[in-house]
């Protein structure tokens, strides 16, 4: 279980601002005791008013992006379910916790972090209204679309085929040496079962296994650092039967974030700082994997 204050990494850079100082003159009339208002004394008060105008951030040039830790890499990110299918539904008091909303929030946070490190990112599920949200309870909606602007079908096989088809076409159209597909889900089990973050890959993909292992190692290290008294039980294993793992062409990692029915696991999703920590630790493992490319075990 994560907790607030476990997020690592540099703070978000602040936008540069231009400061303008303006002098504002205010005249007031003060009535003296025992005299009529016409004989009042006029005071001249000068107030300095500061106006701050934020400058729009300049786009980063391709040359600068290539020099960043993940410059030249391409990632395909898919959050589980979406559109007409919210996935698993947990309950927190009277509130509903939809799998697709929490998986999407962690995924879009990961996309943001990867782009800041120079990566090109394709979001396979997109919500036109929902960006990164810091609310505990994320409102359920059904307006998500599939990349590039497709309606998400309700049928599970059709939806999964839609995702893998888009990923495989993008993978074939790009020549980057480092292309990876990461799909993020939230599991649903009995309320009493607490689970950690699990990672799945195809048995015939040593590259996928390496990526999953690097992310897993970061989770182990961060849990040991932030919660040394709590053992971490998350595993890396093969799941060839998972549709996207079986049918996607780029090296693929399927991530389960926890049990949305379990009260302890729910803290991993309800706290925005924890959702950011999940994305941050994934990114750390991805950078480790990229730096070790070409060194398969």
């Amino acid at each position: 279980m994560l907790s607030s204050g476990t997020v690592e990494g540099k703070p978000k850079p602040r936008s540069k601002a231009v400061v303008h100082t303006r002098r504002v003159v205010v005249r007031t009339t003060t009535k003296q005791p025992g005299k009529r208002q016409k004989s009042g004394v006029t005071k001249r008060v000068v107030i300095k008013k500061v106006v701050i105008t934020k400058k729009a951030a300049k786009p980063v040039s391709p040359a600068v992006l290539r020099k960043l830790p993940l410059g030249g890499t391409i990632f395909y990110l898919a959050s589980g379910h979406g559109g007409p299918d919210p996935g698993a539904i947990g309950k927190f008091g009277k509130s509903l916790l939809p799998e697709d909303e929490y998986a999407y929030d962690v995924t879009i946070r990961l996309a943001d972090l990867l782009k800041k490190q120079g990566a090109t990112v394709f979001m396979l599920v997109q919500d036109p209204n929902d960006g990164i949200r810091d609310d505990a309870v994320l409102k359920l909606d059904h307006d998500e679309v599939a990349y590039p602007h497709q309606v998400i079908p309700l049928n599970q096989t059709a939806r999964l085929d839609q995702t893998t088809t888009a990923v495989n076409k993008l993978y074939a159209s790009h020549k980057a040496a480092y292309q990876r597909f990461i799909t993020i889900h939230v599991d649903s089990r009995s309320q009493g079962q607490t689970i950690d973050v699990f990672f799945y890959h195809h048995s015939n993909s040593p590259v996928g296994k390496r990526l999953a292992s690097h992310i897993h190692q970061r989770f182990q290290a961060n849990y040991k650092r932030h919660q040394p008294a709590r053992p971490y039980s998350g595993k890396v294993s093969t799941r060839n039967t998972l549709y996207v793992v079986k049918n996607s062409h780029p090296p693929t990692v399927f991530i389960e974030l926890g049990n949305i029915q379990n009260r302890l696991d729910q803290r991993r999703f309800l706290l925005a700082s924890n959702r950011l920590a999940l994305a941050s630790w994934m990114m750390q493992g991805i950078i480790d994997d990229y730096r070790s490319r070409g060194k398969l075990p």
Side-chain angles (χ1 to χ4, degrees), residues 110-273:
L110 176 60
D112 182 61
L113 294 172
L114 292 174
K115 286 188 285 187
K116 288 177 180 177
Q117 297 299 321
T120 298
V121 179
F122 292 90
M123 288 284 292
L124 276 301
V125 176
Q126 303 170 356
D127 191 309
N129 304 317
D130 296 334
I132 293 173
R133 294 170 285 175
D134 289 336
D135 305 292
V137 176
L138 301 181
K139 184 179 178 181
L140 170 63
D141 60 32
H142 302 282
D143 60 350
E144 295 88 2
V145 296
Y147 177 89
H149 300 290
Q150 302 180 75
V151 174
I152 298 176
L154 177 60
N155 179 270
Q156 182 183 21
T157 303
R159 185 176 64 251
L160 296 174
D161 181 69
Q162 182 183 63
T163 298
T164 55
T165 298
V167 168
N168 293 341
K169 286 182 178 179
L170 287 166
Y171 179 68
S173 66
H174 290 89
K175 305 302 179 183
Y178 192 95
Q179 300 185 59
R180 302 291 185 268
F181 177 28
I182 298 175
T183 179
I184 297 174
H185 292 249
V186 180
D187 208 348
S188 178
R189 305 190 185 185
S190 66
Q191 290 185 359
Q193 188 173 2
T194 303
I195 62 173
D196 279 318
V197 182
F198 281 74
F199 307 89
Y200 302 110
H201 63 90
H202 199 280
S203 60
N204 293 332
S205 177
V207 179
K209 179 181 179 180
R210 185 188 69 188
L211 175 59
S213 297
H214 277 123
I215 301 175
H216 176 252
Q217 288 165 13
R218 277 290 183 170
F219 271 73
Q220 285 181 313
N222 281 304
Y223 265 99
K224 185 175 181 180
R225 175 183 178 185
H226 296 292
Q227 297 190 40
R230 179 194 184 282
Y232 174 73
S233 61
K235 304 289 184 182
V236 174
S237 57
T238 60
R239 284 286 295 274
N240 294 355
T241 57
L242 292 170
Y243 191 98
V244 294
V245 172
K246 180 180 179 180
N247 294 286
S248 299
H249 295 170
T252 301
V253 176
F254 187 109
I255 302 176
E256 289 280 12
L257 298 179
N259 180 10
I260 203 166
Q261 308 296 346
N262 181 268
R263 188 56 56 90
L264 292 176
D265 281 10
Q266 285 175 353
R267 297 183 189 180
R268 198 176 303 151
F269 318 128
L270 291 171
L271 294 175
S273 57

Side-chain angles (χ1 to χ4, degrees), residues 268-285:
R268 198 176 303 151
F269 318 128
L270 291 171
L271 294 175
S273 57
N274 285 348
R275 300 197 296 269
L276 177 57
L278 290 167
S280 299
W281 297 355
M282 290 178 199
M283 186 200 66
Q284 293 168 11

